[in-house]
Amino acid sequence: MTQLLITGGAGFIGSHTAVVLLEAGHNLVVLDNFDNSSPEALRRVMELVGSEAAGRLRWIEGDIRSRADLQRAFAAAPAPIEAVVHFAGLKAVGESVAEPLRYWDVNLSGSRCLVAVMAEHGCHTLVFSSSCTIYGFPEQIPINEMAPVAPINPYGHTKAAVEQLLADVVASEAPELARWRIARLRYFNPVGAHPSGRIGEDPLGTPNNLFPFVSQVAVGRHERLTVYGRDWPTVDGTGVRDYIHVMDLAEGHKAALDVLLAEGPQLLSLNLGSGQGHSVLEVVRAFEAASGRSVPYEQLDRRPGDAAITVADPSLAAERLGWRTRRGLEEICRDGWAWQSANPDGYDSPGSQSSG
Ligand code: NAD
Ligand code: UD1
């Protein structure tokens, strides 16, 4: 049993990872300012894991940019925090173009503040949520970890900057005195939901990403999907992505933590993806099959800033973590639909509040 701090643990990926980590027997303190999430997600995490494991979860409402809030989170843990899984941050590409200062502040300054407070507490183990967005327009498919880091928008710049900050922290240590154990996990496209349908992705406003938009069309919140591009050099002219089930991703975090805690000081940089690419139209068809609903669409021009294909080479993660994805597109759509159909308006759906 390890005492962990999870920043952003009420969010989409954080809540699913919290389930996996509680089920693995760990103690968790979640720090979240609920800027893009709801405490209801944490109540449902507790309900999913049962009362014994639920008793090992505490949460603090607070901001990673505040030293005082981070100190409160460290103080709230019943035992010294041994490792941090750092999800908290802002993630919308378009918003990052419009509000770069906010993105640099939350993503970079927040991470800097967290790392400083960790060091004060003698906590040197960190798993960081990075993104395949740092590769920009990839030169080679599949993308391995040696590919150039060349982000093309402010969100990507902040992720690349935090990756560099972490590398600089590791490089500052004399090898014989090294303490930092850091994993920079570069997620491809996280989608799907817990198979219970109780927790899932709950985007604010109209979603920009494909999967939540398709689910919302299927449930009747939008009339049709806009498919961006019909002339990409792909199987059917639509963009191809590496969609990873959020439960596989959650298990990847557990695997990374296990390796860091077992092996000792190091800096890991790993792609977390399936290695499989699917086109937009393949996703639409798979979602229709899983939901039994139709997903009408119209095809328009390409979306600026899109790449034709992004697919991970996940072999390094398999080698270093002994982890690989286990769930395919069918399961992604089935579980995504279980969440969307039971919670058409996300955590605000009528009658969706947990009783306990
Ligand atoms: P999310 O928005 O659902 O979760 C982020 C959580 O952080 C939310 O609960 C939010 O309230 C919280 N938060 C935001 N700012 C905070 C602050 N200043 N202090 C404390 N808490 C704060 O997003 P997610 O999809 O779960 O993503 C988690 C992480 O993974 C993010 O860092 C994101 O950039 C990264 N990531 C996400 C994707 C994706 O497609 N979902 C892909 C690659 C990387
Ligand atoms: C987006 C982010 C990227 C992030 C990634 C992780 C953008 C520009 N990029 O990438 O930084 O790392 O999520 O999940 O937002 N599509 C449609 N119609 C839609 C929405 C999307 O056709 O309404 C297409 C896109 O053109 C693309 C595919 O679906 O071909 C996937 O799009 P999306 O879900 O937005 O993910 P990414 O573009 O890969």
Side-chain angles (χ1 to χ4, degrees), residues 49-275:
V49 297
S51 58
E52 183 280 321
R56 289 185 271 105
L57 170 65
R58 298 171 186 214
W59 72 79
I60 303 279
E61 182 166 355
D63 196 303
I64 52 165
R65 291 166 294 177
S66 157
R67 283 179 54 80
D69 289 353
L70 285 163
Q71 298 290 7
R72 276 198 300 132
F74 271 83
I81 287 173
E82 287 172 59
V84 177
V85 189
H86 176 32
F87 295 105
L90 304 177
K91 62 167 183 176
V93 172
E95 192 180 66
S96 79
V97 174
E99 300 176 69
L101 295 181
R102 189 156 79 94
Y103 271 67
W104 281 97
D105 187 33
V106 173
N107 291 359
L108 182 63
S109 306
S111 299
R112 193 206 60 78
C113 192
L114 170 67
V115 171
V117 173
M118 285 175 67
E120 282 169 32
H121 286 266
C123 174
H124 295 97
T125 302
L126 175 67
V127 177
F128 170 61
S129 298
S130 187
S131 169
C132 67
T133 200
I134 65 166
Y135 297 121
F137 295 120
E139 287 163 13
Q140 275 189 335
I141 301 294
I143 305 169
N144 69 32
E145 290 80 356
M146 301 306 287
V149 172
I152 54 165
N153 53 59
Y155 167 63
H157 289 135
T158 65
K159 287 288 171 189
V162 177
E163 283 217 0
Q164 187 61 55
L165 178 152
L166 298 175
D168 291 348
V169 165
V170 168
S172 70
E173 299 188 296
E176 63 282 10
L177 299 174
R179 289 165 303 177
W180 283 98
R181 305 161 185 231
I182 296 180
R184 306 184 298 188
L185 302 182
R186 299 166 179 172
Y187 315 154
F188 278 65
N189 291 53
V191 289
H194 189 273
S196 64
R198 293 294 290 157
I199 56 172
E201 187 172 13
D202 184 16
L204 276 182
T206 304
N208 295 310
N209 298 115
L210 179 67
F211 200 87
F213 202 97
V214 166
S215 330
Q216 291 190 5
V217 172
V219 88
R221 279 175 69 176
H222 306 284
E223 222 171 278
R224 68 176 66 83
L225 168 74
T226 300
V227 175
Y228 297 119
R230 45 174 97 75
D231 55 356
W232 290 108
T234 61
V235 58
D236 56 20
T238 67
V240 167
R241 295 291 181 275
D242 184 334
Y243 296 98
I244 173 171
H245 195 300
V246 65
M247 292 306 295
D248 279 326
L249 188 56
E251 289 165 8
H253 288 76
K254 179 187 170 299
L257 265 177
D258 289 347
V259 164
L260 291 178
L261 292 168
E263 289 185 358
Q266 61 185 306
L267 176 64
L268 280 172
S269 309
L270 298 172
N271 288 342
L272 296 191
S274 70

Side-chain angles (χ1 to χ4, degrees), residues 311-327:
V311 174
D313 175 349
S315 52
L316 189 59
E319 186 189 312
R320 291 296 292 111
L321 306 181
W323 166 92
R324 61 180 73 247
T325 60
R326 298 190 288 138
R327 301 158 177 93

Side-chain angles (χ1 to χ4, degrees), residues 52 73 250 329 332:
E52 183 280 321
L329 188 58
I332 285 172

